[in-house]
Every structure is written in C-alpha cells, then in structure tokens.
Amino acid sequence: MAQVDLRNNELAIKLVYYGPPLSGKTTNLQQLHARVRDDCRGRLMMLDTRDDRTLFFDLLPIFFRAANLSLRVKVYTVPGQPLHAATRRVVLQGADGVAFVADSAADKADANEAAFGDLRANLARVGLSADDTPVVLQFNKRDLPDAIADDEVDRVAARWALPVVRASAVRGEGVVDTLLALVGRTWDALDAEADLSRRFGLSTGDLVAELGENVLGVREGA
C-alpha cells in the first residue's frame, strides 16, 4: 500500500499496468519514460525474453513535488503469459492503482476477458479489494485496421464499470491520459482513507495538473 511519511511530507505509490500478452503494457512505459522530464525519472528497468515479451516486470520510477508534498510513483508492468501467473501476483502486491491495458484487435476479446478475470482474482489473492482498488481501462491499439468499434469499447467499459481511455501506445496517443487518470483516481482513493488533501493542501486537480504540465509537458488545454 502507499507509503506516507507525514513528518517529511513524502508519499510513495505503486501503479501496475496489467493486461493480456502483447497488449502494449511495456510500450506504455517506454512512451512515458520518453516524456518524463530527465530530473523527474529514474532508469527504466526492463527484463525481456528472446521474443521481446516481458519476462518478469518493467519498472519506471517517477518523482516530483506538488505543493509541499514529495511524491514517488513507481510504475510496474506484469507479464501477460499464463506461465507467469505467480509473477503477476507478486508484482500486484501492494498496488495502489491499476491500469488495465486491453487489446483492440477483434480477435483479442477472449484474451481481454480472461486477463481481466485474472486481475480481479489476483487482487483478492494478494489481499486487495477488486471493487475498491482504483482501475483505469486503456483500450490500446486503436490504430489497428481490425480494431473493434468505439461502441464496443464503450460496452466493455460499461460492463466492467471502468473509465476508459482510447490509445495507440506505439504512437504515444492516450499514454499520458491513462497515467493522469490513474494517478487522479488513486489519489482520490488514498485521500478518502487518509485525508491527504487536507494534510498536504493538495487537491486531485492540482496534483494531476502538476504531473501533467511540469513533469510530462502537457500544455493546458492541449
């Protein structure tokens, strides 16, 4: 769970990108790493197999200040392959928020459903509430010629009761929006538990704006 140091005004949160194999989880982290200011990011750690699939996990640390609070955001991916089920549970432990990266290809619907069921089951296995953990749905690969229609994306998001971001991670589209949405929802959940906004004088909007504008270079109104 989030590590809060009230004495030194520090907060560390853990975010996990989850989804079926080859849905674009690692690509999301690569694109984020390229966008985060040099002085606000750590080294992108990647461990890959010969076929370029994630073997264990990827990790991107992001650190910045907002108001009088120092934040450290650790962004992880999990391997999607069935044989790495135990690894997914290990990486998911202590997660404060999850981005579920779904594949828009028409033939990946079953894989998306299986991975989402796996996520909910593993959240319970590591002692987290599947209903209370902040989750943002990213439908990736919207640039594919066989991508499912927008109304089908909306149906899946409504059925899973999740906010959705449409993305093409390989093009960098929707990547920042996904992270900002997840950080916002995660802060809201932590705030409800620990009254963070009052303690640090920092609203959700201010936090997301600081991350977007000063760390990721998102211009206001862009």
Side-chain angles (χ1 to χ4, degrees):
M1 302 299 290
Q3 299 174 346
V4 183
D5 183 343
L6 297 177
R7 183 175 181 179
N8 295 306
N9 288 358
E10 295 175 348
L11 173 67
I13 62 175
K14 178 179 181 178
L15 306 178
V16 177
Y17 278 56
Y18 209 99
L22 299 178
S23 60
K25 301 179 293 294
T26 294
T27 304
N28 267 271
L29 263 66
Q30 290 171 325
Q31 292 284 2
L32 288 172
H33 183 263
R35 284 164 170 72
V36 175
R37 270 176 27 198
D38 290 349
D39 60 333
C40 293
R41 71 185 185 197
R43 184 168 64 92
L44 176 59
M45 298 174 57
M46 301 174 60
L47 296 171
D48 296 323
T49 61
R50 292 181 181 177
D51 62 359
D52 291 330
R53 297 185 178 191
T54 307
L55 174 62
F56 186 56
F57 64 85
D58 307 319
L59 166 63
L60 171 62
I62 302 171
F63 34 88
F64 64 103
R65 288 192 63 86
N68 65 340
L69 179 64
S70 294
L71 293 102
R72 184 175 182 87
V73 182
K74 295 182 178 180
V75 188
Y76 292 79
T77 68
V78 298
Q81 294 81 358
L83 65 106
H84 295 306
T87 298
R88 287 195 293 278
R89 289 193 293 274
V90 171
V91 176
L92 199 58
Q93 287 180 339
D96 298 298
V98 177
F100 186 87
V101 183
D103 195 320
S104 288
D107 63 351
K108 298 299 184 181
D110 290 343
N112 291 333
E113 292 285 350
F116 188 68
D118 184 71
L119 168 62
R120 291 184 62 85
N122 279 334
L123 284 170
R125 290 187 181 107
V126 300
L128 298 173
S129 169
D131 294 322
D132 296 335
T133 300
V135 181
V136 169
L137 171 61
Q138 180 193 94
F139 251 101
N140 191 26
K141 304 185 184 180
R142 299 303 296 156
D143 54 302
L144 292 179
D146 65 337
I148 61 173
D150 280 341
D151 58 355
E152 179 59 23
V153 169
D154 291 335
R155 279 194 291 270
V156 173
R159 181 156 49 82
W160 292 351
L162 295 177
V164 62
V165 177
R166 291 164 172 79
S168 171
V170 71
R171 297 180 177 178
E173 299 169 359
V175 171
V176 169
D177 292 337
T178 300
L179 179 65
L180 295 180
L182 181 56
V183 168
R185 285 176 66 84
T186 300
W187 177 265
D188 284 341
L190 295 174
D191 187 26
E193 292 181 3
D195 198 18
L196 298 182
S197 293
R198 184 188 62 80
R199 289 176 182 272
F200 298 112
L202 184 64
S203 70
T204 303
D206 291 339
L207 172 65
V208 171
E210 179 68 26
L211 176 58
E213 296 172 18
N214 296 327
V215 179
L216 292 160
V218 178
R219 297 188 306 275
E220 186 175 358

